[in-house]
Amino acid sequence: MLTATAPRSASFDAAAFEEFLATRKEPAWVSDLRRGAFETYRELLATELDPEEWKRVDIRAFRAEKFAIPAASQTSAAFGTLLADRAEFAGVVSHVDGACSRATLDEKWAGKGVLFGNLSDLVRDHGDVLRPHLLTTAVKPDTDRFAAWHAAFWTGGTVLYVPRNVQITEPLYSLIGLAADGAADLSHTLIILEEGASATLLEETSSASTTATGLHVGAVELLLAPRSNLRYVQLQNWNDKVWHFAHQAGRVQADASLQWTVGALGAKLAHIHQDVFLDGKGAAAEVNGVTFATEKQLISYYTQQTHNAPNTRSDLLYKDVVRDKARCIWRGMIKVAKDAQKTDGYQRNDSLLLSDDCRVDAIPGLEIEADDVRCTHGATCGRVDEEQLFYCMCRGLDRLEAMHMIVEGFFQRVYDRIPVEIVRETLGQAVERKLGIGGE
């Protein structure tokens, strides 16, 4: 049972908010946006969270007062990243405890008008570009208390803006890191592709140590103009002391294409509200998810595919592996508006249980108002077949190696949908680590 009215955190009360604002050097429109969001946050603290989304996510042990946004000056920290050293990137943005530590972009793309850097800097220097998009159409502050909390206290984040018809051929990379014990990160990812633009962004979260507690209250906004194409990958790899809450949304216009891949490996508890809106005729979105929960982790995804225009297509595939006393929750919904004829919507969640005490809740759903559509959904759940293990072990593999082979085969259908080779390799190696193969 969730806590409907959690105690207000001294780290995020009115006095803390005014103190936080005083440290920011931002345009008036940003401050006004924050003030409005903070008032919404205070109102929503006394409002029950949506029971359909939260009734299976137990947050009674969560105490916001144990976390705070660190001071701006931070010592450097080393992170065991999974993606950072695997390719040549057109640009790199890194954040540690909410503060930007690095922001680079290849000159050839900067010369074409591409923006890639820290949100806190770019709202000052390019407010005319960002203002119409930041927390206006994708993630909305009044969705719930976590969205409002983020909108009031966001601490920076990664911005990618690609002008009309510019097609970035190399991937870009973004790191969100937590280092200080008790640090709260409220970073924001904002991607804006103008008409005909194309880009690939690989983003990951990481903890500097295995023992530091942390909190992430994040948001991701993916905004695709007509005929644009975006590949976005987010690999969540916090340590098991981090609480992770996020609102993530993509809005896809006519004939644009979004491929969105998520890997959920870390965190003590993670709950992500993920929306995809197909807003223009011919828009398409493919969502891929790989989740591996162990020990006492709880990883939850609430996904919605909303078709607002005719001849749109969405395809969601999540694969979950659960072990020990861990739990995975997936609640999926395809929504089709009355005018969204010729919709093709698909969602599927498959779960593999590796222990007697783990649990999976998978709940697909459809809400269809149009009468000329093809929408399907499904969910499966099962144990590893002991005969498969025996077969592998008879051919020289030990039990752990056999288990890895079976888990890799289970995830393979998702891997096959990912065109970026380094992402496929990284997910495979991350699975090995979760199984206890290959060391750190």
Side-chain angles (χ1 to χ4, degrees), residues 10 78 81-82 93 103 114 152 157 172 180 226 256 282 285 289 316 320 376 382 414 440:
T81 60
L82 298 174
V93 175
V114 174
L172 301 116
L316 179 145
D320 307 325
T376 55
V414 174
E440 295 297 326

Side-chain angles (χ1 to χ4, degrees), residues 389-406:
L389 282 173
F390 180 73
Y391 179 88
C392 293
M393 293 170 69
C394 285
R395 279 147 182 81
L397 301 179
D398 63 29
R399 187 177 181 86
L400 204 57
E401 291 169 335
M403 189 72 75
H404 175 243
M405 180 175 290
I406 292 169

Side-chain angles (χ1 to χ4, degrees), residues 17 53 55 92 98 106 190 206 228 311 348 353 438:
F17 176 69
E53 178 173 355
K55 64 184 176 183
V92 174
D106 194 307
L190 175 62
S206 181
S228 61
N311 298 100
R348 182 182 178 94
L353 282 63

Side-chain angles (χ1 to χ4, degrees), residues 97 173 216 247 259 348 406:
D97 294 340
Y173 174 77
H216 173 77
H247 280 267
Q259 185 186 69
R348 182 182 178 94
I406 292 169

Side-chain angles (χ1 to χ4, degrees), residues 324-336:
D324 307 319
K325 295 183 179 180
R327 183 176 180 185
C328 280
I329 302 165
W330 172 74
R331 176 70 171 97
M333 180 64 68
I334 297 176
K335 295 185 176 182
V336 182

Side-chain angles (χ1 to χ4, degrees), residues 130-145:
L130 303 188
R131 185 174 183 178
H133 305 290
L134 180 63
L135 293 165
T136 57
T137 60
V139 175
K140 298 183 179 180
D142 60 356
T143 302
D144 66 17
R145 71 181 68 157

Side-chain angles (χ1 to χ4, degrees), residues 145-162:
R145 71 181 68 157
F146 290 98
W149 186 4
H150 171 87
F153 285 95
W154 60 262
T155 52
T158 298
V159 172
L160 171 61
Y161 167 78
V162 187

Side-chain angles (χ1 to χ4, degrees), residues 109-231:
W109 301 116
K112 293 185 177 183
V114 174
L115 303 178
F116 186 59
N118 178 24
L119 176 61
S120 297
D121 297 331
L122 292 176
V123 290
R124 294 193 298 266
D125 301 336
H126 298 278
D128 56 329
V129 175
L130 303 188
R131 185 174 183 178
H133 305 290
L134 180 63
L135 293 165
T136 57
T137 60
V139 175
K140 298 183 179 180
D142 60 356
T143 302
D144 66 17
R145 71 181 68 157
F146 290 98
W149 186 4
H150 171 87
F153 285 95
W154 60 262
T155 52
T158 298
V159 172
L160 171 61
Y161 167 78
V162 187
R164 181 186 177 99
N165 292 330
V166 174
Q167 299 184 357
I168 303 177
T169 52
E170 302 92 7
L172 301 116
Y173 174 77
S174 171
L175 171 68
I176 304 167
L178 282 171
D181 190 46
D185 170 81
L186 291 91
S187 59
H188 191 98
T189 298
L190 175 62
I191 302 177
I192 306 164
L193 300 190
E194 298 289 7
E195 186 171 354
S198 178
T200 298
L201 176 62
L202 311 183
E203 185 168 74
E204 70 176 309
T205 71
S206 181
S207 300
S209 77
T210 59
T211 58
T213 61
L215 168 66
H216 173 77
V217 182
V220 173
E221 299 187 287
L222 313 177
L223 306 174
L224 282 69
R227 298 188 300 103
S228 61
N229 183 287
L230 174 65
R231 292 173 179 167

